[in-house]
Amino acid sequence: MSPLNLGNQQPKTPLNADRAWRATADRAAETVLFFDFDGTLAPVADDPTQVQPAPKVLAAIEALAPAVRRVAIVSARPVEFLREHFDGLTGVDLYGLYGLEHSHSGGATVTEPAALPWVPTMAELADLGRAELPPGTLVEYKRLSVALHWRTAPQLAATVEQWGRDQAERLGLRVQIGRMVLEIKPPVDRDKGMVIDELVQGARGAWYFGDDVSDIKAFAALRARAAADPDFLGVCVAVANPETGDEVAEAADLTIDSPAALGDFLTEATHHLA
């Protein structure tokens, strides 16, 4: 793990990890810890249904949660999936489908009302994808979105992406590109940056851990909050991977090598905060 070059057009937090955690300790009760899931807390897998958090991650989050204002998982996954991994942890809020769903500390799942009318469209789109897309494409139906994966067949990238974009245009939907996946979503204004912007209001600090291009919006939300309040401490951490190139890492303050390394990093952080 290493600090990145700070000579970027976007102002960054000029702290190494140890100094950042020590600065956070002074405001821990007013700090929010945000985590993406796939590629951040858990390694990416060929079959998205089989993904599991990296070693030490859940134990570290459980130890950190009582020391901070809140912990929030902000993911492209549905809340139902996230609940399977985090429901036993106290004080962890779940934001699924880029914020179209959320659940607070094990409570009921709340869905963005504007997205609900699109559920039948998404179900039909998933069926169409399974019928029309070539073998090797994995069509993941998430109730409020459809993800088209080509991880096991990278040669299909252009075909799958074009099909997804064509369908989104036909149906008036939006697309989100990720790591060997294209996600088709309702035309509802909701993304990770908007979630973070709402949750950091009134906080004095926040960390965001992410690995994909959709996480850059979350980084930007922390930058904007820090720009508006010089007392706010925002730390953006990228979990490195070769699939997104340098784009995510260049937008972050710090990089971590892998989800497994993040487990070690968070375990070390418990000595500062817990």
Side-chain angles (χ1 to χ4, degrees):
M1 181 210 54
S2 60
L4 293 171
N5 180 4
L6 300 178
N8 187 286
Q9 60 182 350
Q10 212 174 25
K12 295 190 175 185
T13 304
L15 298 174
N16 63 27
D18 185 65
R19 288 173 59 204
W21 282 123
R22 281 192 277 114
T24 299
D26 295 335
R27 63 188 71 206
E30 298 174 86
T31 293
V32 185
L33 302 181
F34 296 103
F35 300 93
D36 173 46
F37 184 74
D38 290 280
T40 300
L41 295 179
V44 173
D46 289 348
D47 182 349
T49 67
Q50 300 303 309
V51 169
Q52 296 292 329
K56 303 183 182 179
V57 160
L58 294 182
I61 288 177
E62 187 172 28
L64 290 167
V68 297
R69 177 173 177 168
R70 72 196 309 175
V71 172
I73 312 301
V74 187
S75 172
R77 297 280 197 164
V79 164
E80 182 179 2
F81 173 89
L82 297 173
R83 199 189 300 277
E84 294 174 7
H85 297 286
F86 298 98
D87 213 23
L89 303 188
T90 302
V92 177
D93 296 335
L94 306 177
Y95 288 81
L97 303 176
Y98 304 95
L100 291 178
E101 298 178 335
H102 66 266
S103 172
H104 296 287
S105 300
T109 299
V110 178
T111 302
E112 181 70 30
L116 283 173
W118 294 93
V119 172
T121 300
M122 294 301 170
E124 293 169 8
L125 181 61
D127 289 340
L128 187 64
R130 295 185 185 105
E132 294 189 356
L133 287 166
T137 310
L138 191 155
V139 178
E140 182 186 9
Y141 171 62
K142 303 182 184 180
R143 190 174 74 100
L144 292 174
S145 72
V146 175
L148 309 176
H149 301 264
W150 56 84
R151 176 166 298 278
T152 61
Q155 73 279 7
L156 298 178
T159 299
V160 176
E161 187 171 337
Q162 187 60 57
W163 186 93
R165 290 187 182 279
D166 289 345
Q167 295 302 319
E169 183 176 359
R170 178 178 69 86
L171 296 167
L173 303 172
R174 296 178 181 175
V175 298
Q176 172 75 52
I177 290 288
R179 295 174 58 180
M180 305 185 87
V181 61
L182 180 144
E183 189 143 11
I184 305 172
K185 309 186 296 181
V188 177
D189 286 330
R190 200 71 178 148
D191 60 37
K192 291 184 177 184
M194 295 174 69
V195 172
I196 274 60
D197 182 59
E198 292 170 5
L199 297 184
V200 295
Q201 298 306 315
R204 292 184 60 217
W207 290 60
Y208 187 95
F209 298 81
D211 76 305
D212 211 341
V213 291
S214 64
D215 298 308
I216 294 176
K217 291 183 178 180
F219 291 169
L222 288 193
R223 305 287 186 215
R225 179 73 174 84
D229 180 3
D231 185 53
F232 181 84
L233 175 66
V235 184
C236 303
V237 184
V239 179
N241 70 85
E243 294 170 2
T244 54
D246 297 330
E247 186 176 3
V248 181
E250 287 176 351
D253 301 309
L254 305 169
T255 58
I256 292 176
D257 291 338
S258 66
L262 177 59
D264 293 331
F265 181 78
L266 294 176
T267 300
E268 180 64 26
T270 62
H271 302 312
H272 292 282
L273 303 189

